[in-house]
Amino acid sequence: MHDIRFIRDNPELFDAAMARRNIDPVAQDILALDTERRHIQTELQTQQSRRNDVSKEIGKVKGSGGNAEALMAEVADLKHSIPALEAEDARLEQALTSHLMGLPNILEDFVPEGADEADNELLRVVGSPPSFSFTPLDHVALGEALGQMDFASAAKLSGARFVVLQGQLARLERALASFMLDIHTTEFGYHETVPPVLVRTQTMTGTGQLPKFEEDLFRTTDDRWLIPTAEVPLTNLVADSIIPRTDLPLRMTAYTPCFRAEAGSAGRDTRGMIRQHQFSKVELVSVVAAEESDAELDRMTACAETILQRLELSYRVLRLCNGDTGFSAQQTLDIEVWLPGQNDGEGMFREISSCSNCGPFQARRMKARTRVEGEKETAFVHTLNGSALAIGRCMIALLENGQQEDGSIMLPKALHSYMGTDKLVPSA
RNA sequence: GGAGAGGUGGCCGAGUGGCUUAAGGCGCACGCUUGGAAAGCGUGUUGGGGUUAACGCCUCACCGGGGUUCGAAUCCCCGUCUCUCCGCCA
């Protein structure tokens, strides 16, 4: 959510920022509501103050046996006007809040200009793709040849966009989660967490999924929501709190399933494990002081990159353009891994991680603040989140990059101890 | 799922309609005291919003939302969470 005081002081800047999000000027409408609301509040509070004074006076008069009827008659009038003003104030606040809640975060100035992913800015390419003496297969062919990746059975159980993994691939899921969590906790200081995957509406609103993106989510019959990412519960852990400045930064990591309705993705990535309704992911969340968030984004991205490097996968890092940056982010860096089996064996880069600095945007929605010990002023924290990494897409990358002509899959050294072997072979 | 008891400041805890400006304690900060420290004494110590050049003034908030009343932490209704017991269950 946005700071109404910023909009009051900089309406043109605000509209310019929203223009980068393809949103028509809104500052004038917002400020009209704001001005009217403050006018109502002033009048309301004047009347409340009068009511409080008179009520006290009535108490005193009655206590000393006097006649308070004149005073009570005065308050009788206020009893009509105060509720009316309260209702008007509530209406205006609601209108203002719903307006502000629906507007995306302001982008950093250096976010590149562009309509979609084709316009993202390439920051670096790391590693080099493996070369094959044969045409590499995609993960579907490889996984099914292993007899360990079963889309037909998943469709029987759950419909499209699900998968059943078995044998070594099932273990690989577990191994990857352990491998990633071990690095983040022991080398990078993230606090391992197991959060709920069902959350309340208020929690989804705190990180920005609601009220605008309901159609992307699964909702339960008792009015909870399945998380689309562990960013939601992890970040909301600091909602409604004031964190001592000395406790920052907070760094949390969690391995959770993620659920996405993929309502707007009909026909996209229908083959294989690239885009599923359910997938698992190791997520990183940082809660930091304002002045630290830019550096924290670089740090977080480096943590995600470390995983890819240890897995000996090549990748590239991009800064997303305005058209491709998500609702809550002020800046996003994507990591795309090389998948040699895609594009009919030509290979292509696909997103495997997305690291975002949300600045104070989510913190303001969830009232997450910090304070320097001994000072009175509080400040909204900055929140960041990143995948490190998406497990399913990581598995795809390992299969497609490690494939051998005989159909077996060579695993990177880092996983040997987690897998108890150095390669994947077809199930007996 | 059933029955009961609860939710008050950073923490503990008093408070069954006005004397609450939320008692008292703990913790914390500052000061006095001291050679220094402890103890003791004193002062201060929630958050959001409106208004103001500023000091300040006002308002809201005692889990959340409604209601009764001139006036609600206190009474009523709904919701929510916690605890105890029962049932069920991994």
Side-chain angles (χ1 to χ4, degrees), chain A residues 100-378:
Chain A
L100 291 174
M101 279 290 188
L103 294 171
N105 201 353
I106 295 172
L107 298 167
E108 306 255 28
D109 290 338
F110 52 75
V111 167
E113 190 67 30
D116 55 37
E117 60 186 32
D119 298 317
N120 293 336
E121 174 190 356
L122 180 63
L123 297 183
R124 54 186 172 272
V125 180
V126 179
S128 45
S131 57
F132 296 94
S133 58
F134 53 94
T135 301
L137 301 173
D138 79 349
H139 69 280
V140 179
L142 293 165
E144 290 182 338
L146 288 172
Q148 299 166 5
M149 184 181 290
D150 186 349
F151 293 99
S153 292
K156 179 176 71 181
L157 299 176
S158 307
R161 293 197 190 280
F162 290 90
V163 68
V164 174
L165 299 177
Q166 293 185 310
Q168 282 184 303
L169 284 186
R171 179 166 177 172
L172 183 56
E173 151 103 17
R174 174 164 57 92
L176 283 169
S178 289
F179 167 70
M180 293 177 194
L181 287 170
D182 284 346
I183 290 174
H184 295 317
T185 55
T186 65
E187 297 185 34
F188 300 137
Y190 285 88
H191 192 58
E192 186 167 353
T193 306
V194 179
V197 302
L198 286 176
V199 300
R200 300 174 185 284
T201 295
Q202 185 181 335
T203 306
M204 282 293 185
T205 306
T207 31
Q209 282 73 23
L210 291 177
K212 242 194 138 175
F213 305 103
E214 182 174 343
E215 69 278 7
D216 296 336
L217 302 169
F218 290 110
R219 185 179 204 164
T220 64
T221 53
D222 69 346
D223 234 15
R224 279 179 252 265
W225 306 83
L226 283 158
I227 60 170
T229 159
E231 166 201 343
V232 174
L234 291 184
T235 309
N236 276 281
L237 281 171
V238 298
D240 291 311
S241 66
I242 300 175
I243 301 158
R245 179 67 180 74
T246 47
D247 288 1
L248 299 179
L250 295 178
R251 297 191 176 105
M252 295 170 271
T253 183
Y255 163 63
T256 68
C258 302
F259 302 92
R260 299 188 181 179
E262 298 295 350
S265 307
R268 283 188 73 190
D269 301 317
T270 49
R271 178 176 167 84
M273 282 178 64
I274 297 250
R275 191 176 300 274
Q276 305 264 281
H277 285 309
Q278 175 187 339
F279 63 97
S280 51
K281 180 159 62 64
V282 171
E283 181 77 358
L284 304 178
V285 163
S286 294
V287 178
V288 305
E291 60 273 17
E292 294 171 344
S293 69
D294 285 334
E296 185 71 11
L297 180 62
D298 290 336
R299 184 188 192 275
M300 178 178 277
T301 307
C303 293
E305 287 181 67
T306 296
I307 302 294
L308 288 164
Q309 289 162 15
R310 302 273 174 94
L311 294 177
E312 302 167 36
L313 295 167
S314 69
Y315 62 91
R316 63 182 189 181
V317 181
L318 305 101
R319 176 176 286 127
L320 298 193
C321 69
N322 57 331
D324 206 23
T325 301
F327 181 82
S328 294
Q330 64 184 32
Q331 183 198 172
T332 296
L333 301 179
D334 267 14
I335 303 174
E336 296 183 341
V337 69
W338 178 252
L339 299 181
Q342 301 296 302
N343 200 17
D344 296 324
E346 297 290 309
M348 67 186 292
F349 285 103
R350 288 301 303 247
E351 177 185 338
I352 194 167
S353 171
S354 190
C355 298
S356 296
N357 180 3
C358 296
F361 184 82
Q362 294 178 323
R364 199 173 282 115
R365 294 168 86 95
M366 64 175 75
K367 296 180 179 58
R369 292 154 291 169
T370 184
R371 175 164 51 203
V372 174
E373 182 125 17
E375 291 188 3
K376 186 165 170 55
E377 293 297 306
T378 61

Side-chain angles (χ1 to χ4, degrees), chain A residues 14-81:
Chain A
F14 185 76
D15 279 340
M18 288 302 105
R20 296 203 72 199
R21 294 289 201 166
N22 296 317
I23 289 169
D24 293 335
V26 286
Q28 204 180 348
D29 288 354
I30 290 170
L31 291 181
L33 284 171
D34 178 51
T35 302
E36 191 184 356
R37 170 153 189 249
R38 283 190 290 162
H39 175 75
I40 295 285
Q41 276 191 329
T42 302
E43 180 59 25
L44 171 63
Q45 290 176 8
T46 303
Q47 294 196 15
Q48 283 172 327
S49 178
R50 181 64 190 156
R51 180 195 60 192
N52 292 344
D53 289 345
V54 174
S55 292
K56 271 179 205 150
E57 195 60 28
I58 290 171
K60 277 187 199 153
V61 171
K62 284 193 167 180
S64 58
N67 185 326
E69 282 190 22
L71 292 169
M72 288 175 70
E74 179 178 353
V75 180
D77 286 341
L78 295 176
K79 282 198 62 155
H80 290 102
S81 55

